[in-house]
Amino acid sequence: MIRALIGLYGWRYPRTLVYMLQSTEYQVRPYLAWVVRTKDFGQVMQRRQLVMTKAARLLIEGLYLAMAALIIVSLSLIYVGHWHGVIGAVPLGVIILLIYPYVLAYLAVVPLVLGRLLISRPRERKLIVQSEKIFAAHPAIKIAVAGSYGKTTMKELLATVLSEGKVVAATPANKNVAISHAYFARKLTGKEEMLVIEYGEGAPGDVAGFACTTHPDRAIITGIAPAHLDQYKTVEAAARDIFAVADYVKESEVYVNGDSPAVVNFIKPGYEVFTNQKCLGWQIKKVHVGLGGIKFQLEKGSKSLALESGLVGRHQLGFLGFVAALALELGLTPAEVRSGIAKTKPFEHRMQPYQLGGAWIVDDTYNGNLEGIRAGTALLQELSAKRKIYVSPGLVDQGMETESVHIEMGKLIAQATPDLVVLMQNSVTNFIQQGLKDGYFKGEVRIEPQPLEFYTNLGHFVAAGDLVVMQNDWTDNYA
Amino acid sequence: METVAVIFGGRSAEHDVSIVTALASIIKPLELTKKYRVEAVYIAKDGAWYWDEKLKDINLFTSGKIQNLLERTKPVAVEFSGGMRLIKSAGGLSGRKQVQEIDIVFPAMHGTYGEDGSLPGLLDMAGVAYVGCGVAASALAMDKVLAKQQAVANSIPVSKFVAFTKAEVQTDNTAAVSRVTSALKYPIFVKPAHLGSSIGISRVQNDTELRNALEVAAHYDEKVIVEEAVQNLIEVTLPIIGNDQPQAALLEQPLTKAEDFFDFETKYMQGGKKGKGKGSKGAQGYSQLPADLPPALYQAAEATGLAVYKAFGCSGIARVDMLIDSKTSEVYFNEMNPLPGGLYAHNWQRAGISSIELVEKLIAFAKERHAGRQALATTFSTNYLQQF
């Protein structure tokens, strides 16, 4: 109680608010939702530190000034009420003194909203319009990558493999919204032969908007899963938005990941469907999956191509096979494709294996969707180990599907038969436990109330012979 | 929830090593189990006992702020009557006396007044469960002369040795030297009989060096042991846990040249940088884990280690150091360590036991032994007093 009051009325409170804004990427709604559900502001900053950017510094200074002003006003009211008999001034002063932290929390968004409306949005709109012209005039083959999951992986694979024989530019990291595309366009030289553009859907209409601006020649749909359901409400609505990109390219140049069950209702006869068994007329055979990577062979008639990738997990097969086949179709030689596939390595925090005290840890903490959970649990099931451990806090942004998604997740975990399941205690833990029960899970379940402590001390929990799959990680704004 | 008191520090040359063992290898994993209330009990270099939550923070010790804390904190009163209780005198806002009953003690003391059997003796008197070897095994292990004699009595091979008291060395150093040279061949190791962590140990090649080394060893200890070096040396160490059915971890081979045998600096201060070749960085610097030995020799060394553990009556945890002549494949018992630095958690981890599992097992062994002792009859009715 006392600690919570110190968190609310203490000197560090304005910094906490700015940290919350920064953690929610200055998005007003998630920030306010976080403010409303926070009981102890002193306990908010757990996972990261406040990064002192120019904007953060300005906001902190502004909030301290506002805090000082509110306190002065409230004390002045109390003073004039008490000493000069101004009616109602004392209670008003007391009320302001009591509620000023909440006033500050809401005041913090005012400059954001104003800045966004008056400065950012007009500037961004201008850049996006300019980028549309750059993309339209660019002679490169433009490949759009959309989907609820696997977009960044697919984009990186394409960039890595195609770069072996072509001049390729790809959108950086997970910068995948309109303004990121606009910045990307400004950096293009015009000499690129291929552009790989990731589409990060977030709300209905996003993908069509990206396609209008970037003028794709080919489109890849990496899969559909429950994601951003706070905006889309249903998986179908999200799928409709993602498949909107297909309206901007020829049907024969729409490539869909057939391993994603949710794509079925959206596939048109002219689309190219790739799976972990076949892609663009090639068969995927002689597969070997291990923590060191994947080995497989592409076969078509008398032709064959043996490939080896550092990526981990059978679910990567479809992507790897497809990228190799597409690269061949786009004119790369088999040697270039082999070399490109060999260069593909796990991306940071995405099915990234490493050793800790003799144990194998598969870090998939950037994974945030059910299909990723399916892939991770399948890997845990497939590999042998003396002791198997599964670690996850669950998924975020699952909207109305939160309960069903997490029950399904629990069943998937049970199916992988780990010896120990470590769940980070939060609002979805009970649903995962229900799924574990429904899946007749017989192993040990450990509920971890302090996730950061667990992750920091992982080395104390594991030993040689252990295989640990860690999927997703909730930042402070979700905890 | 049971309360575990981790006792560390102490009046020993290995005071600082004890702090690291307690904080990194015992307190942290014990707290992570969330099954125990863990109390940090620190014995300062002057022998005063302190009990404070802040003592769990390694930064307190590495920064030197421990001195400030000790200056403004009163030592804790410890009661050993029918169990163990920590009693903090009245103070603070509440003004209440703080009393904490201890269920299990986890000694993390290296060297004198701790690992040598003193602390187990005190805890036996109190009748409280504790982790690790009892009085007899600890005392035997901490006296290198008695340890060798115990091994010989159990037909476990040891390298040739001669023992001296401090007085013998100091009154007639020349006689001591001639006694050594008539019994042993150079190179020779001179060691204080009771110190661990390689403190005061010298490797000598001639009479002059031997004379100096004897004086150095006698400076640290009441008893000195002089041993003939094993030729074609492979040095190995084997951590073991358990009571009646001991379980060995992996045989570990420190990667040092014979002339660079572990001294305190190499072991703890330089991270084993004198080590050669590839290896894992453990509590004692670089080592090969598991030791790269032919299977038969590996098994022989493991069997020797387990035989020593049983012959000494060890319980809970210990580490047996052995010397191997690689040409003759003869395995010699060298030393026994009742509380391996850092519990040798790095080795157990590679052997498939995490540091959390390790401390949980050690607590279970402590409780098992304590329960066994509780079941023993310790009183016997006689009419002796009536007859007096």
Side-chain angles (χ1 to χ4, degrees), chain A residues 450-465:
Chain A
Q450 290 162 305
L452 189 61
E453 184 185 59
F454 177 83
Y455 290 124
T456 312
N457 294 292
L458 185 62
H460 284 292
F461 288 90
V462 298

Side-chain angles (χ1 to χ4, degrees), chain B residues 99-372:
Chain B
V99 180
Q100 180 62 56
E101 187 83 30
I102 301 301
D103 299 301
I104 302 148
V105 174
F106 203 133
M109 310 270 285
H110 295 297
T112 47
Y113 302 110
E115 203 181 0
D116 58 1
S118 312
L119 185 57
L122 190 61
L123 299 171
D124 277 340
M125 289 283 288
V128 65
Y130 62 89
V131 171
C133 294
V135 178
S138 301
L140 273 178
M142 288 306 290
D143 185 322
K144 293 180 176 70
V145 179
L146 284 179
K148 290 227 169 192
Q149 287 165 347
Q150 176 74 358
V152 171
N154 283 276
S155 309
I156 296 164
V158 298
S159 58
K160 286 185 190 168
F161 70 98
V162 178
F164 297 97
T165 62
K166 181 178 185 147
E168 283 172 329
V169 172
Q170 288 180 337
T171 50
D172 195 348
N173 197 313
T174 311
V177 169
S178 64
R179 206 177 121 202
V180 170
T181 50
S182 62
L184 312 177
K185 284 185 214 152
Y186 288 113
I188 281 167
F189 285 98
V190 183
K191 304 172 180 176
H194 297 98
L195 289 190
S197 296
S198 309
I199 293 165
I201 298 182
S202 309
R203 183 174 187 271
V204 297
Q205 299 273 17
N206 54 51
D207 290 5
T208 313
E209 287 177 1
L210 175 61
R211 192 167 289 115
N212 291 336
L214 282 167
E215 276 173 21
V216 169
H219 173 75
Y220 283 105
D221 208 329
E222 293 289 328
K223 221 166 167 183
V224 175
I225 184 166
V226 184
E227 299 164 336
E228 190 172 287
V230 170
Q231 299 303 305
N232 315 301
L233 178 70
I234 300 173
E235 201 176 353
V236 290
T237 188
L238 183 68
I240 299 170
I241 55 170
N243 291 340
D244 295 329
Q245 292 169 314
Q247 177 190 352
L250 298 173
L251 204 60
E252 182 168 341
Q253 183 183 352
L255 293 179
T256 49
K257 291 190 293 181
E259 61 271 26
D260 280 344
F261 73 94
F262 278 173
D263 53 18
F264 188 86
E265 186 77 358
T266 312
K267 261 184 175 178
Y268 297 113
M269 305 307 286
Q270 300 176 0
K273 71 180 182 185
K274 289 180 183 174
K276 306 288 181 237
K278 283 183 178 178
S280 62
K281 196 179 172 189
Q284 292 200 350
Y286 287 92
S287 59
Q288 195 174 58
L289 189 60
D292 186 16
L293 298 177
L297 190 54
Y298 190 102
Q299 280 169 17
E302 194 179 64
T304 303
L306 289 166
V308 170
Y309 193 88
K310 283 185 174 171
F312 280 58
C314 293
S315 50
I317 186 167
R319 194 194 77 213
V320 181
D321 296 349
M322 288 161 282
L323 307 172
I324 298 172
D325 184 328
S326 60
K327 278 200 180 158
T328 62
S329 293
E330 189 74 45
V331 180
Y332 301 96
F333 161 66
N334 187 32
E335 284 177 24
M336 226 264 294
N337 193 323
L339 183 73
L343 304 182
Y344 256 54
H346 67 285
N347 187 317
W348 286 106
Q349 195 176 37
R350 288 288 301 277
I353 294 178
S354 71
S355 37
I356 287 178
E357 288 170 311
L358 181 61
V359 293
E360 285 192 304
K361 277 175 185 278
L362 293 177
I363 293 275
F365 292 138
K367 285 159 81 173
E368 180 189 78
R369 184 187 53 192
H370 185 66

Side-chain angles (χ1 to χ4, degrees), chain B residues 1-6 26-39 56 103-104 106 131 356-365 367:
Chain B
M1 193 181 267
E2 289 174 309
T3 303
V4 181
V6 180
I26 301 174
I27 293 179
K28 181 50 100 179
L30 271 177
E31 289 194 319
L32 288 171
T33 64
K34 301 213 164 44
K35 291 178 185 168
Y36 308 101
R37 178 190 170 100
V38 184
E39 302 297 347
K56 292 178 182 174
D103 299 301
I104 302 148
F106 203 133
V131 171
I356 287 178
E357 288 170 311
L358 181 61
V359 293
E360 285 192 304
K361 277 175 185 278
L362 293 177
I363 293 275
F365 292 138
K367 285 159 81 173

Side-chain angles (χ1 to χ4, degrees), chain A residues 309-321:
Chain A
S309 163
L311 292 184
V312 173
R314 191 171 286 273
H315 67 290
Q316 309 277 18
L317 260 183
F319 279 25
L320 284 165

